[in-house]
Amino acid sequence: MDSRTALYGVIGNPIRHSLSPKIHNAAFQKLSINAAYLAFQVDKEFLGLAFEAMRALQIKGLNITLPHKEDAINFVDEVPTDLDRCIGAINTVVNRDGRLLGYNTDVPGFLGALREELQFNPETKSILVLGAGGAARGVVFALAHAGADKIYIFNRTIERAHGLQGYLKTHFPETEVKILHSPEHAKDEKIHLLVNATSCGMRAEDPAAFDLQFLKKEAAVYDLVYSPTETLLLKKAREQGRRHANGLGMLAGQAAISFGLWTGQKEGVRQIMLEALRQ
Ligand code: ATR
């Protein structure tokens, strides 16, 4: 590092568990880019100041993580893509000569992970999404955007599932969105993919996020959780011989797309990041 080192980072709270510094710094090093990536713990009340600091210190790029992905939209100058505006959450900010541009790379990162890890294309497919929080919102928007025919939502708190259904219907009226009231109702449906977008599975004592016996045997399973690398849900999927993958692919995918927006470097970045994560 020297007086020309460009600064990047991630802001969130909590942040000390974040793997983003590890994977971005691995890519900077491997590609010989003079830059550093740090993690900043930022409270909600200081979010605006963090964006002012980004301008003042000419921080080139930031990732935004929980709980700031929605509020962050209020502090950028522009959200260039329609899809990111309708999702209403950003995870990446590009500082283009003092003008702050907001993007959501979780969406293409998720779709890329389905493609790379499961060889799965959501077009014309029926997909069951578990959860109705911020992560589930990104997932259902990505699936609808990619042309899924039918999206089922199952959530512990049914009112939140209805909220997400309504929100999606306004933006994608052509996509059929159904609420699943109980896991066994999945038995009557032809579901091609299950996506766990809840935090169930992150704690050692968590049960499997869904009972896979209610899904057809061809249905694949994608779990956004990456720590532990094999949740109980994924263990069952593996034992049943289903195609399955954890959230590491999405983590690397969204990071590589952010990296591309900041540096213009795209080739091989996802792979460098995946290797850093697997170490
Ligand atoms: P995020 O932005 O990461 O999605 P969130 O908005 O807090 O975080 O949402 C967490 C999601 O995980 C919710 O769908 C939550 O279900 P509720 O809406 O019923 O709270 C779900 N979730 C968390 N722990 C869970 C558990 N042990 N079993 C089932 N669902 C769980």
Side-chain angles (χ1 to χ4, degrees):
M1 283 193 261
D2 57 21
S3 52
R4 292 177 186 277
T5 304
L7 183 58
Y8 296 83
V10 55
I11 61 178
N13 190 8
I15 202 63
R16 297 300 160 217
H17 65 288
S18 173
L19 295 171
S20 295
K22 185 184 171 84
I23 59 181
H24 283 281
N25 286 318
F28 286 139
Q29 202 164 19
K30 194 97 175 189
L31 298 167
S32 304
I33 296 173
N34 185 359
Y37 185 109
L38 298 177
F40 300 103
Q41 182 168 314
V42 175
D43 285 342
K44 205 177 168 64
E45 62 186 293
F46 292 124
L47 191 61
L49 278 176
F51 279 87
E52 288 309 303
M54 184 180 189
R55 290 179 208 273
L57 303 176
Q58 297 178 28
I59 294 172
K60 300 269 189 213
L62 284 177
N63 281 131
I64 313 295
T65 190
L66 299 178
H68 302 314
K69 289 187 184 189
E70 285 151 32
D71 293 342
I73 281 207
N74 302 319
F75 298 105
V76 294
D77 297 308
E78 193 188 338
V79 176
T81 71
D82 291 344
L83 183 67
D84 296 351
R85 278 197 300 277
C86 82
I87 292 171
I90 55 170
N91 73 327
T92 303
V93 181
V94 179
N95 185 348
R96 196 142 289 150
D97 303 321
R99 195 168 163 73
L100 304 186
L101 310 179
Y103 296 88
N104 187 318
T105 71
D106 287 331
V107 167
F110 169 67
L111 294 173
L114 293 185
R115 196 172 52 239
E116 303 275 334
E117 321 270 316
L118 297 176
Q119 290 73 51
F120 185 90
N121 176 359
E123 207 174 342
T124 72
K125 301 290 196 321
S126 295
I127 297 149
L128 168 56
V129 178
L130 310 178
R137 180 142 58 112
V139 164
V140 295
F141 268 81
L143 294 171
H145 175 69
D149 248 5
K150 207 164 175 178
I151 297 175
Y152 299 85
I153 301 171
F154 176 69
N155 193 48
R156 185 174 62 179
T157 312
I158 191 97
E159 296 76 22
R160 287 187 88 190
H162 282 291
L164 182 55
Q165 179 188 39
Y167 194 56
L168 189 62
K169 280 249 138 230
T170 1
H171 294 285
F172 291 94
E174 70 289 358
T175 310
E176 198 179 332
V177 190
K178 266 182 92 168
I179 304 289
L180 210 64
H181 288 267
S182 153
E184 53 269 26
H185 293 168
K187 259 200 317 216
D188 311 321
E189 313 288 341
K190 181 147 182 38
I191 289 163
H192 301 101
L193 173 72
L194 171 79
V195 180
N196 177 33
T198 74
S199 45
C200 182
M202 286 179 177
R203 293 154 296 256
E205 66 277 15
D206 282 345
F210 197 78
D211 190 341
L212 294 177
Q213 66 164 324
F214 299 126
L215 293 187
K216 306 260 181 291
K217 69 174 194 315
E218 318 77 63
V221 178
Y222 192 83
D223 198 334
L224 260 60
V225 175
Y226 54 78
S227 177
T229 51
E230 187 177 76
T231 58
L232 204 49
L233 181 74
L234 287 183
K235 178 169 181 280
K236 303 250 173 184
R238 175 171 56 76
E239 287 167 356
Q240 293 174 12
R242 297 174 186 276
R243 278 183 300 151
H244 63 282
N246 66 20
L248 284 178
M250 178 176 171
L251 181 67
Q254 59 79 26
I257 298 164
S258 298
F259 195 94
L261 287 168
W262 294 328
T263 65
Q265 293 264 8
K266 296 190 175 121
E267 213 55 46
V269 175
R270 184 177 188 277
Q271 203 48 41
I272 294 170
M273 291 179 164
L274 263 180
E275 276 160 28
L277 284 170
R278 285 180 181 143
Q279 274 165 20

